[in-house]
Structure formats: structure tokens, C-alpha cells
């Protein structure tokens, strides 16, 4: 799941260090302009690639991967003591295009966030192209190699999205809805989400629910045309220690066939000085057979070293077992991220 630069801090960031607040470009007369960005490059081999290579008696090659390039600009105007307006533009930079499995070596610049909104003591409501709240779901401390198991929602990036979120001292809550666009009598992406969390000292209990539908995919034998999913999360974070546990269920509909999937996740990390050590496990189970099965298992372990407040280097090892392909393999990644 994708995380925007301006998203609220989530548990996965514990293994990556503190989230950057960005640079203040202007702050005067009730107007604030901030910019944030990140560049991340990895030497990477996926566990999935290793599994497929073993099936064909070949070696899985690692590659230098341009994993992340982001630039975000936020403008906020204070209307009154209890009301402000905001506008956000987010760019994705350096993503290589891939056709038939071949990368063209060129990095595109795309807009993956463009929205406006109002905020105050009542919370914040935003309209436009943005990431759904359910993108924050999950308790994992993985960096890159948990991609076949664990909580997952079909789509979290929307163009016609209305999102409301309230952050209080005793709880937070949010709701969002993507307005489905109709073309030739067929509705496109529609998403309804609800999320909430309640802290108890060093503990937090939170839950997420999402209902997704895209009528244009009903006849597809590969794409999910409908999904209903929820998860319940328990997190403990105190000083250098973080522990998270999750249970969730979802129903995927592919070509009018439903597949019920159960998900478990356990994760933990410990920070010692500038080093954070993470370990995690995720499992999906279902009763489906063949290509519809989402049954999979993921293990991962990582170490991240905070070189500066905004620079980290890391190593992660991962193992995954994918039932529908009868594939098992190991992956690894060595990377560095620099942000502001």
C-alpha cells in the first residue's frame, strides 16, 4: 500500500525513522507554504522472482531499483481562529515505465495527489485526488518485502474522493467516499471507507473497513470487481519497543466468483540508538483453488540505520510462500532514502 508524504505517521514508519515535516517556504499573515520530498534507491531482488526462478532452474537477478521519488507542496490559509483552507499537490517522480516486463529506463513525472479542503476544531475534510484512509491500515514494520500476504485493500488512490478525518485527544475517526463515474451505463471505481482508533496509554486499538466496486471489471477473469474488507488492529508502542497484531477478513469478487480470505499479522521492532531492528509475519488463508487463491505466507526481518534525521540506510530479508503458484523463495533489499 502507497503512503503519501503528507499522510499521518503510521506504524510502518517506526522501522524507517521519524516522518519528515518538510521545509517551511513561507509563514506569514496566516499563510503557510511547506514542501517535502524523498528520493529512495534500492538494490533489490524480490522473493517472488526467486520463487519463479527456482521453478525454471534459473537464477533470479537483483537490480538497482528507483523505488521512490516524491515531491509535495501544501498551502494553508488561516481564515479564522477555528477555520483554515488548504491545497495540496503531490508528484511521483522517477517511476520507470514497464511494457511486457521490459523497463524503458525513463522516469515519468505523474501527479498522484491534488486536493483542496477545510479544517479546524471539527477535523479536516478534503476533496479531489488523494489517498484513502485505509492506506494506513496494517501493523507491519516491513520496508519492501511483504507483498503477497497481510491486510490489503483493492485500491487506495482515488480521483473523485471526499474524505473527512477527526483527530482528538481520546480518539480519531474518519470516513471517505469516492464518487463513481458512469461511462456507457457502467460505473467506474466506487469506494466507501470507515476507520477509527482509540488510544489507551501506550496501547491503541483501531479498525478499518472498506467496500470497493468497479462495474467495468465484472467480466474480468483477473481483476477484482468488488471487495469488502475489514481489519482490527492492536498496537503497543512505548519508548524503543513497538508490537502490533492484526486480524482481518475480506471477500474478493472476480468474474462473479467470491473468495473469502482471512488475514493475520504480527510485527515488532526495537530501537537501539540509531538502529531499529524489525521482524514480522503475515498470512492469508482461503478455500479457493487455482488462480483465485490468495493463500500466502510472508516472513521478513530488517535493520534500519538512521544516518541523519532525514537519511536512513537499511537491509531487509524476506521469505514468501505463494500457494496458487506453489512458489517459495527468498528476497533481499539494500537501500537508502533521503528526504526533507
Amino acid at each position: 500500500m502507497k503512503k503519501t508524504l503528507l499522510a499521518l505517521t503510521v506504524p510502518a514508519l517506526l522501522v524507517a525513522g521519524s516522518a519528515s515535516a518538510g521545509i517551511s517556504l513561507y509563514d506569514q499573515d496566516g499563510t503557510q507554504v511547506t514542501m517535502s520530498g524523498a528520493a529512495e534507491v534500492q538494490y533489490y531482488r524480490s522473493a517472488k522472482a526467486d520463487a519463479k526462478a527456482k521453478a525454471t532452474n534459473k537464477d533470479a537477478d537483483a537490480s538497482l531499483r528507483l523505488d521512490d521519488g516524491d515531491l509535495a507542496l501544501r498551502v494553508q490559509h488561516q481564515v479564522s481562529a477555528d477555520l483554515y483552507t488548504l491545497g495540496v499537490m503531490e508528484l511521483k517522480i522517477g517511476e520507470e515505465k514497464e511494457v511486457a516486463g521490459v523497463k524503458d529506463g525513463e522516469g515519468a513525472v505523474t501527479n498522484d495527489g491534488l486536493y483542496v479542503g477545510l479544517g479546524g476544531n471539527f477535523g479536516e475534510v478534503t476533496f479531489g485526488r488523494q489517498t484513502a484512509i485505509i492506506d494506513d491500515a496494517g501493523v507491519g514494520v516491513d520496508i519492501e518485502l511483504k507483498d503477497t500476504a497481510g491486510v490489503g485493500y483493492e485500491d487506495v488512490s482515488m480521483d473523485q474522493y471526499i474524505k473527512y478525518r477527526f483527530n482528538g485527544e481520546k480518539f480519531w475517526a474518519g470516513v471517505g467516499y469516492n464518487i463513481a463515474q458512469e461511462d456507457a451505463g457502467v460505473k467506474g471505481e466506487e469506494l466507501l471507507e470507515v476507520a477509527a482508533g482509540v488510544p489507551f496509554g501506550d496501547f491503541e486499538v483501531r479498525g478499518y473497513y472498506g467496500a470497493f466496486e468497479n462495474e467495468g471489471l465484472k467480466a474480468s477473469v483477473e481483476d477484482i470487481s468488488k471487495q469488502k474488507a475489514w481489519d482490527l488492529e492492536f498496537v503497543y508502542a512505548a519508548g524503543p519497543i513497538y508490537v502490533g497484531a492484526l486480524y482481518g477478513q475480506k471477500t474478493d469478487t472476480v468474474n462473479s466468483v467470491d473468495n473469502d480470505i482471512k488475514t493475520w499479522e504480527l510485527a515488532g521492532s526495537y530501537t537501539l540508538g540509531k538502529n531499529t531492528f524489525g521482524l514480522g509475519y503475515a498470512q492469508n488463508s482461503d478455500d479457493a483453488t487455482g488462480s483465485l487463491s490468495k493463500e500466502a505466507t510472508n516472513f521478513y526481518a530488517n535493520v534500519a540505520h538512521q544516518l541523519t534525521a532525514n537519511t536512513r540506510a537499511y537491509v531487509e530479508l524476506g521469505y514468501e510462500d505463494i500457494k496458487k503458484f506453489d512458489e517459495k523463495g527468498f528476497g533481499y533489499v539494500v537501500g537508502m532514502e533521503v528526504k526533507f
Side-chain angles (χ1 to χ4, degrees), residues 50-114:
D50 181 51
K52 291 183 178 180
K54 287 179 179 178
T56 56
N57 296 317
K58 296 180 180 179
D59 292 329
D61 293 332
S63 62
L64 199 63
R65 183 186 189 199
L66 307 179
D67 181 65
D68 200 14
D70 296 291
L71 190 64
L73 185 70
R74 177 186 174 106
V75 180
Q76 181 171 311
H77 300 292
Q78 200 70 35
V79 178
S80 66
D82 299 324
L83 180 67
Y84 63 84
T85 63
L86 66 97
V88 176
M89 180 176 65
E90 299 170 339
L91 300 177
K92 199 78 172 175
I93 305 169
E95 293 287 321
E96 291 185 298
K97 297 179 182 178
E98 186 171 322
V99 179
V102 178
K103 293 182 179 180
D104 64 5
E106 297 181 0
V109 178
T110 58
N111 172 243
D112 62 350
L114 186 63

Side-chain angles (χ1 to χ4, degrees), residues 23 46 79 90 112 138 164 169 178 184 214 239 260 290 327 330 334:
I23 295 174
S46 72
V79 178
E90 299 170 339
D112 62 350
Y164 167 75
E169 294 182 0
N178 190 68
N214 187 339
D260 295 324
E327 294 175 349
F330 288 91
V334 181

